[in-house]
Each structure stands twice: as structure tokens, then as C-alpha cells.
Amino acid sequence: MHTSLNPAVLRLLRAPRPYPAVSLTMPTHRTQPENAQDRVRLHNLVHEAERRLEADPAVTRERRDDVLAQLRAAVAELDLAHARDGLLVFAAPGEHQSWAVERSVPERVVLADTFLTRNLVAADAARRPYWVLAVAADRITLWDGRGERVTEDTDHGFPHRRSLEAPDSERKERVGDLPSTFSDEQTRQFFRDADTALAHVLAGAPRPLYLTGDPAALALFTAAGTAARDAVHVPLGGLAQAAPEAVARAVAPARADEAARTVAGAHAELDRARGGNTYAAGPDEVWQKASDGRIHKLVVEEDFRVTVRAGEGHLEPAEDDDLDAVHDIVDEIVESALETGAEVVFVPAGTLADVGHVAAVLRF
């Protein structure tokens, strides 16, 4: 199962497919005994997809058989022992894939000419993606952080490596001309090259950046370039060679502090927006503004869910068993906001209870 989303992967998922592109979404469970039901519910969703495909006059027999084969292959490959809070299975002619997400998703089957990505996008945003750059004189590693997990990123030219053994180091040591590791020009150039690569990463996927290393390494790296000028420093050496768990532990306190500052800043912006006529609150109003591309910053409570029915320009409350109900309207709002360049901030449950659990600062 896939777990890590990036802009390039999202573009591929959103690309049009030959009809039908089938999306299955369902909540899953991490532990027993609840997870015993997940396999049964998944097979029921596959049967529902088969029924829908057979009943759709726009789907030829050949294409139906192709998509069903892809769907069954995806299910056969799944190991639900590693399930998280939600599961998404995508199948289209000639392809299939599945995603485990750390956010509950509604149970549904969707046939369209693209895959349903809004639950995936919202789950990724809720994990607050970040980068960690671990700097040492001979190795610089980039880590993709999502929630409490980090994985080494090797898709952007990292890790950067070099040897610290200079060809004439013995002679220079004899004559007293061997420079400090963090003052010689080779190290500066090594850091400048890494800074250039980091700038490309941040341009394609802007996120908070945590810079780790010995204090001398951090000082030289920030002086050598500009990509890390807004990074949060974690002055701890040895992480360029460390395991993912050690990197995650090292940045956890800084992440917690940064999250608290982000939440406080979001509340302050909402307060200012109230007095400036650039404020929206509640699912209905925020959904309308998101659809119009007017949101500058979206603030939503973690795990907030509401079942609605989309009427003409407005949302109406609905029961979970309503056939016209939309169970993932919050995820739709999050995806719409992100698509138009808005910042999305998740805050603790109950924080926005008095304004409908979701609010926004508007552009105009």
C-alpha cells in the first residue's frame, strides 16, 4: 500500500482515465478485534462496484472485465494487518493501486473518469508534512516527514556525500596548513550544492523545514545559501547517518513548538479577519468560499466530519443513510482550498466549536 503523497503522484492520480475509473474508500482499523471486519467490508465494496459496472450501459463487457480484474488484483495484494484509519483502492483499465491513510474516510464506491482524491489530499494535509535536512561535513540527507514518521527521500539528489580525506592532508598537517572542516572552501561548495538541490525541493513541495546538525554545520549551511533561511534549527549532530526513528525523535519537540505557534497564529488571523470582513465560518459558508477560490487560510478541527446534502449553492444537514448524502464534505473543502493555494491549518477538536468547527480567512 502507498502511504506517501507528493505533487507529482497527485498529478498522476488526477489525470483523466478511460471510463470507468473506480475508487473504493472505507474506514479501517489498526487493532483487533475491530480489524477483523475490514476484509469483509472490502469484499462487499468490490461486489458493489461489480454490480454498478454491470448495470452501467456505458461500460463495455471488455472494459468491465479489465477493471474488475484490476480491482481484484489490488485487493489480493492488500495486507490489512498494516491498515491505518482509512483505505482507498483505485482501479482503471490497465492499472490499480491502494493507499493507507491516517484519517477516517467514508465507505463508498465512485465510478468516474478520474480517481477520487479528496480524501487522500485531506489525510495528507492533516499529517502536516514537513522536511528534515540533516547536515554533516561529509553527508547531507533529506527526510520526508509526515506526522510521527519520517522516511529518507532519495528522489531529489539526496543524500549528498563526499570524502573528507584530502589527497595532500598529511603534508598540510605537517606544515600546519590543514583548515578546519567547517572553514575550508570544499565544505562550503559542498553545502552550496546541497542548498541548490534543497531549493528545488522546496519550490516543488513547500513545507516547514527542520535543519539538524552540529551548531558549526548549521551556521555554515545557512551562510552558504538561502534555501534554509526560514528553517527551524535542531542543533544535534549525527543524524545524517541516523535511522528514521532517531530523526523523528530529534525533531519532535521542535515540531510540537511549531504546531503550537501555528495554531496560535491561525486563531489570531481569524480574529483579525472578523473585523475586516474577510471571515467565513461553518461548513456551508466555508464550502461556498472554497468553491469560489476565495480562501486564504482554512482552519479546521482535526477529525471533524459532517454529513450533508449539497443543494443549490448551499449545504443542508443529512442523515448518514441518506442516499444523496455527502460524507466527506470537509475533505472536499480541504482539497478545494489547497488547489487554489490556500494554507490549511488543523487545530485540536473543540477549538472552533462555537463557529461550526471550521473557519477561514478570505482573500477578499
Side-chain angles (χ1 to χ4, degrees), residues 258-313:
E258 190 67 16
R261 286 192 291 269
T262 299
V263 170
H267 284 301
E269 283 196 60
L270 288 174
D271 288 340
R272 289 193 295 270
R274 281 191 180 96
N277 200 30
T278 55
Y279 175 79
D284 183 37
E285 187 177 6
V286 172
W287 174 70
Q288 294 177 50
K289 305 305 183 187
S291 300
D292 294 338
R294 292 182 57 187
I295 293 181
H296 168 68
K297 176 172 286 188
L298 175 69
V299 185
V300 59
E301 290 184 3
E302 296 170 343
D303 300 323
F304 173 52
R305 287 284 185 271
V306 61
T307 302
V308 298
R309 185 169 50 251
E312 294 186 5

Side-chain angles (χ1 to χ4, degrees), residues 22-27 41-42 44-46 48-49 52 87-89 105-111 116-119 323-329 331-332:
V22 177
S23 302
L24 305 186
T25 71
M26 59 173 277
R41 295 174 68 180
L42 178 56
N44 289 340
L45 279 180
V46 173
E48 171 62 16
R52 298 264 298 274
L87 173 67
L88 296 86
V89 179
V105 299
E107 186 172 301
R108 64 189 305 190
V109 177
V110 176
L111 275 62
L116 183 71
T117 61
R118 62 191 182 216
N119 303 119
L323 294 179
D324 296 324
V326 180
H327 299 270
D328 54 359
I329 197 65
D331 287 358
E332 182 177 319

Side-chain angles (χ1 to χ4, degrees), residues 15-228:
R17 261 79 180 174
Y19 183 84
V22 177
S23 302
L24 305 186
T25 71
M26 59 173 277
T28 51
H29 304 82
R30 297 174 183 243
T31 58
Q32 295 180 339
E34 291 83 2
N35 62 4
Q37 63 183 284
D38 291 346
R39 180 65 63 177
V40 174
R41 295 174 68 180
L42 178 56
H43 282 293
N44 289 340
L45 279 180
V46 173
H47 290 316
E48 171 62 16
E50 182 175 6
R51 184 192 67 78
R52 298 264 298 274
L53 288 166
E54 290 178 344
D56 192 334
V59 181
T60 65
R61 177 187 295 273
E62 180 182 9
R63 186 154 290 179
R64 180 195 67 201
D65 292 345
D66 185 351
V67 173
L68 282 175
Q70 295 291 335
L71 196 56
R72 289 168 181 148
V75 171
E77 294 166 5
L78 285 174
D79 183 0
L80 291 180
H82 300 292
R84 298 183 182 177
D85 301 308
L87 173 67
L88 296 86
V89 179
F90 301 136
E95 63 173 319
H96 65 269
Q97 57 182 279
S98 58
W99 291 78
V101 297
E102 296 181 357
R103 181 175 169 89
S104 183
V105 299
E107 186 172 301
R108 64 189 305 190
V109 177
V110 176
L111 275 62
D113 56 4
T114 59
F115 292 137
L116 183 71
T117 61
R118 62 191 182 216
N119 303 119
L120 185 59
V121 170
D124 188 68
R127 292 167 72 187
R128 302 180 180 92
Y130 56 95
W131 297 111
V132 181
L133 193 75
V135 178
D138 59 343
R139 182 181 173 91
I140 300 174
T141 53
L142 180 67
W143 300 86
D144 181 348
R146 295 164 191 270
E148 303 303 318
R149 294 181 176 86
V150 300
T151 56
E152 187 172 358
D153 184 290
T154 58
D155 295 332
H156 298 91
F158 289 94
H160 279 233
R161 305 183 186 92
R162 70 166 186 144
S163 173
L164 294 181
E165 292 296 325
D168 58 347
S169 60
E170 291 185 8
R171 182 191 64 78
K172 289 186 175 182
E173 189 171 14
R174 286 196 302 272
V175 300
D177 193 31
L178 187 65
S180 165
T181 302
F182 293 110
S183 64
D184 70 274
E185 182 56 30
Q186 287 183 329
T187 302
R188 293 179 186 277
Q189 186 58 52
F190 179 61
F191 282 6
R192 281 194 289 267
D193 292 343
D195 180 83
T196 299
L198 176 63
H200 287 297
V201 172
L202 295 176
R207 305 177 188 171
L209 172 67
Y210 297 89
L211 189 66
T212 77
D214 291 324
L218 299 185
L220 180 59
F221 192 88
T222 52
T226 59

Side-chain angles (χ1 to χ4, degrees), residues 341-357:
E343 180 184 355
V344 177
V345 177
F346 287 85
V347 297
T351 303
L352 301 173
D354 58 334
V355 294
H357 308 283

